[in-house]
């Protein structure tokens, strides 16, 4: 993203777009990103087809205990971001019986359903439809043009999907496709030397649900980011001992509490023992190795031999290439990938991205030329994202860069109003405040930061802390 900022030449234009109702659009996925896309299209007079393999909206937020589809939800999950920033800018979180800012997955699922109802999106969604193939029809040209003077000539996109109700296979052609299938479905599991000698349980956090399953066990948790820290806290209430292995931790092991030890990177496995870098301390008689190591990007409906366009997502790299501005395919900009970014507040970014997608398709915004888009995408693919000295795995990292990214998307769409600018600023301030409260919390320690309750004051571009159990609390208005 950072590498492409200088090459972006998009500009908002005042012109009458073509008849929007003629645009044939498909959205793959009915989760938070897919719903945002459906809303953005529908309010501009376009009725998309949303293909959702589940039988309900919500994507990963649809938790089913013991369900057939694995997803990164578990019964005790609460968000690690306040609902005051999680909400779509267009749809503030409805008032409920509780004013808690850090909500359960059930509450997020309820919010997404209420969003779909509010904007009448259910009628656009085909449930039980699993997309199996996406193909760019390179020998054809779509009849759709964003405007009369547009130099863009889109290639139609063919989708094939299987319908769950009767197992029939359907193929249809669209002028534009938004891929909104998320990136929390395929676990990323690093290779550990000697792990083949381990006879205990090996699992990824996607399979985790109930901490009671670890009663009396010795557990090594590989990974200490958000999920690793939360799972370590839950499991420690039942396990005999849990070792939390953190790649970013280079100190001597720290005893967080009597049965939780914070240790450096996992180095190797030898039978039932696990060893860590830079220390003689080892975990012995280990029962379970639990990987909390994130997920790989995956597009199972894009096939190298038949989809007829270039797209790569190598397992372990956490990188999709080529993409322009974290969103568009540079050669086929009528094909977009919503929500590739990570380390950010997703729902607001989805809304901003989808506004930009619609503006481009309707001709009210113009992207850079294909050559410039491709050049920018190639720079981003090797530049390690916006961080200085970023790794390949940071290609889609947003973090502190997400605020300007949201503004950039809204500038493309011609919708960076003073109200939206204030909204982004308040999101930034609450996000930073919440992050400062989490900072310093060791894996396995109480999640005291989740006691904090926020209130947005958008008209004044600030926020208030209603209550908090965190020591040395400071209001956002100070």
């Amino acid at each position: 993203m950072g590498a492409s900022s200088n090459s972006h030449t998009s500009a908002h234009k005042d012109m009458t777009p073509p008849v929007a109702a003629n645009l044939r659009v498909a959205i793959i996925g009915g989760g938070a990103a897919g719903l945002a896309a459906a809303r953005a299209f529908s309010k501009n007079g376009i009725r998309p087809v949303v293909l959702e393999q589940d039988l309900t909206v919500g994507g990963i937020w649809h938790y089913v205990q013991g369900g057939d589809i694995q997803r990164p939800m578990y019964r005790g999950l609460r968000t690690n971001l306040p609902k005051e920033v999680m909400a779509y800018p267009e749809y503030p979180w409805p008032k409920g019986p509780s004013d808690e800012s850090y909500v359960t997955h059930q509450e997020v699922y309820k919010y997404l359903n209420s969003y779909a109802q509010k904007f009448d999106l259910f009628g656009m969604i085909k449930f039980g439809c699993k997309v199996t193939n996406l193909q760019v029809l390179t020998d054809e040209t779509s009849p759709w043009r964003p405007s009369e003077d547009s130099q863009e000539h889109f290639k139609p996109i063919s989708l094939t999907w299987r319908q769950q109700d009767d197992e029939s296979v359907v193929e249809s052609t669209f002028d534009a496709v938004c891929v909104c299938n998320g990136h929390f479905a395929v676990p990323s599991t690093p290779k550990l030397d000697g792990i083949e000698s381990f006879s205990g349980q090996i699992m990824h956090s996607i399979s985790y649900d109930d901490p009671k399953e670890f009663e009396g066990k010795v557990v090594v948790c590989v990974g200490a980011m958000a999920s690793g820290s939360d799972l370590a806290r839950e499991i420690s209430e039942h396990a005999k001992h849990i070792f939390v292995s953190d790649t970013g931790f280079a100190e001597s092991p720290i005893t967080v509490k009597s049965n939780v030890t914070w240790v450096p990177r996992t180095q190797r496995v030898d039978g039932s023992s696990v060893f860590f870098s830079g220390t003689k301390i080892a975990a012995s008689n280990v029962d379970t190795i639990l990987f909390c190591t994130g997920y790989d990007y995956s597009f199972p409906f894009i096939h190298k031999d038949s989809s007829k366009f270039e797209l790569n997502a190598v397992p372990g790299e956490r990188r999709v290439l080529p993409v322009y501005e974290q969103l568009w395919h540079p050669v086929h900009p009528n094909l977009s990938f919503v929500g590739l970014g990570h380390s950010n507040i997703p729902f607001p970014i989805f809304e901003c991205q989808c506004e930009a997608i619609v503006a481009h398709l309707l001709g009210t915004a113009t992207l850079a030329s294909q050559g410039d888009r491709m050049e920018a995408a190639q720079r981003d693919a090797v530049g390690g994202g916006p961080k200085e000295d970023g790794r390949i795995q940071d290609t889609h990292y947003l973090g502190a860069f997400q605020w300007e990214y949201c503004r950039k998307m809204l500038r493309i769409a011609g919708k960076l109003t003073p109200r939206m600018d204030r909204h982004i600023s308040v999101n930034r301030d609450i996000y930073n405040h919440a992050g400062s409260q989490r900072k310093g919390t060791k894996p396995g320690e109480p999640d005291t930061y989740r006691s904090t309750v926020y209130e947005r004051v958008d008209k004044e571009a600030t926020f208030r802390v209603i209550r908090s159990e965190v020591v040395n609390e400071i209001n956002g208005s100070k």
Side-chain angles (χ1 to χ4, degrees):
M1 182 193 72
S4 65
S5 58
N6 293 329
S7 64
H8 197 287
T9 60
S10 63
H12 184 71
K13 301 186 296 183
D14 291 322
M15 62 171 59
T16 302
V19 180
N22 294 335
L23 181 63
R24 302 168 298 172
V25 176
I27 298 167
I28 301 176
L35 293 177
R39 168 58 182 160
F41 280 109
S42 64
K43 72 180 178 182
N44 283 279
I46 304 161
R47 189 173 178 84
V49 175
V50 183
L51 300 169
E52 168 54 50
Q53 66 177 348
D54 212 339
L55 298 179
T56 183
V57 297
I60 62 170
W61 295 101
H62 177 222
Y63 168 77
V64 179
Q65 186 175 335
D68 294 334
I69 300 175
Q70 288 189 321
R71 60 194 78 199
M73 285 297 119
Y74 53 92
R75 65 184 68 188
L77 184 140
R78 288 177 66 191
T79 61
N80 61 1
L81 292 172
K83 69 178 188 295
E84 288 76 17
V85 299
M86 282 187 65
Y88 300 107
E90 189 181 18
Y91 188 59
W93 208 279
K95 296 288 185 182
S98 170
D99 64 354
E100 297 287 342
S101 286
Y102 294 90
V103 297
T104 66
H105 58 77
Q106 292 96 333
E107 291 172 279
V108 180
Y109 176 67
K110 181 179 179 181
Y111 169 78
L112 292 173
N113 270 271
S114 66
Y115 176 84
Q117 291 171 345
K118 168 74 174 178
F119 298 116
D120 198 24
L121 304 181
F122 282 105
M124 308 170 197
I125 304 172
K126 292 181 177 291
F127 293 108
C129 293
K130 183 175 182 177
V131 178
T132 57
N133 191 56
L134 182 157
Q135 181 180 2
V136 175
L137 303 179
T138 55
D139 295 331
E140 300 180 25
T141 299
S142 169
W144 177 264
R145 295 181 68 189
S147 64
E148 290 184 3
D149 64 346
S150 174
Q151 299 303 308
E152 294 273 17
H153 295 280
F154 298 150
K155 299 297 182 182
I157 301 172
S158 172
L159 293 182
T160 304
W161 65 89
R162 184 179 297 276
Q163 300 189 156
Q164 182 177 325
D165 55 357
D166 59 4
E167 289 297 312
S168 61
V169 175
V170 179
E171 183 177 346
S172 190
T173 301
F174 300 91
D175 301 303
V177 171
C178 291
V179 177
C180 302
N181 68 323
H183 51 86
F184 295 99
V186 178
S188 178
T189 305
K191 295 179 181 178
L192 295 180
D193 288 344
I195 197 167
E196 66 279 355
S197 69
F198 183 69
S199 59
Q201 180 187 32
I202 300 173
M203 61 184 292
H204 187 276
S205 59
I206 197 171
S207 302
Y208 173 85
D209 188 50
D210 186 358
K212 294 179 182 178
E213 296 175 4
F214 301 92
E215 191 72 45
K217 294 184 177 182
V218 176
V219 179
V220 172
C221 178
V222 181
M225 298 298 284
S227 62
S229 294
D230 280 345
L231 269 55
R233 188 189 68 256
E234 284 199 358
I235 293 171
S236 68
E237 297 298 317
H238 301 273
K240 180 180 179 180
H241 203 101
I242 181 165
F243 294 83
V244 186
S245 175
D246 185 352
T247 57
F249 181 66
E251 303 175 25
S252 298
I254 293 176
T255 300
V256 178
K257 59 183 184 179
S258 61
N259 69 335
V260 179
T261 305
W262 189 14
V263 294
R265 176 192 297 270
T266 303
Q267 186 178 54
R268 63 186 176 90
V269 180
D270 186 358
S272 62
S273 296
V274 179
F275 298 85
F276 310 101
S277 298
T279 178
K280 294 180 180 179
I281 291 179
S284 302
N285 300 315
V286 175
D287 299 293
T288 301
I289 297 176
L290 172 60
F291 286 97
C292 297
T293 45
Y295 298 83
D296 285 322
Y297 294 96
S298 177
F299 308 99
F301 39 82
I302 296 176
H303 308 286
K304 195 170 186 178
D305 57 342
S306 63
S307 289
K308 296 187 178 181
F309 69 98
E310 180 188 0
L311 192 82
N312 294 293
V314 178
E317 288 188 354
R318 296 195 78 183
R319 173 179 64 168
V320 180
L321 72 155
V323 287
Y324 175 66
E325 294 290 9
Q326 302 268 18
L327 184 59
W328 289 281
H329 192 278
V331 178
H332 306 289
N334 53 328
L335 175 61
S336 53
F337 298 84
V338 179
L340 294 180
H342 65 84
S343 305
N344 57 46
I345 308 172
F347 297 5
I349 288 179
F350 298 161
E351 183 175 312
C352 295
Q353 287 183 319
C354 294
E355 293 284 9
I357 290 168
V358 174
H360 168 243
L361 290 172
L362 291 183
T364 58
T366 302
L367 302 184
S369 68
Q370 179 176 318
D372 287 344
R373 292 195 304 260
M374 195 66 206
E375 184 179 337
Q378 289 171 340
R379 284 200 304 270
D380 281 353
V382 299
K387 288 184 178 181
E388 280 192 38
D389 302 320
R391 310 166 301 160
I392 282 177
Q393 292 90 338
D394 297 322
T395 297
H396 302 297
Y397 172 86
L398 287 176
F401 303 91
Q402 64 185 295
W403 323 116
E404 184 52 36
Y405 180 76
C406 284
R407 291 185 173 97
K408 177 184 282 189
M409 292 295 105
L410 292 175
R411 287 190 194 102
I412 292 172
K415 295 192 175 182
L416 183 57
T417 62
R419 184 190 73 82
M420 280 304 301
D421 193 64
R422 289 194 301 271
H423 188 95
I424 293 168
S425 294
V426 175
N427 272 3
R428 177 199 62 206
D429 293 344
I430 296 177
Y431 179 89
N432 289 342
H433 184 273
S436 70
Q437 290 198 324
R438 290 195 303 271
K439 191 175 182 179
T441 301
K442 300 179 181 67
E445 283 189 331
D447 55 340
T448 310
Y449 75 90
R450 285 189 169 104
S451 69
T452 303
V453 175
Y454 294 94
E455 180 184 35
R456 299 182 67 100
V457 190
D458 282 55
K459 289 183 179 180
E460 300 173 21
T462 187
F463 69 94
R464 298 189 185 98
V465 173
I466 304 302
R467 66 175 184 274
S468 179
E469 296 175 13
V470 178
V471 178
N472 299 325
E473 181 48 55
I474 300 176
N475 266 347
S477 57
K478 293 185 179 179

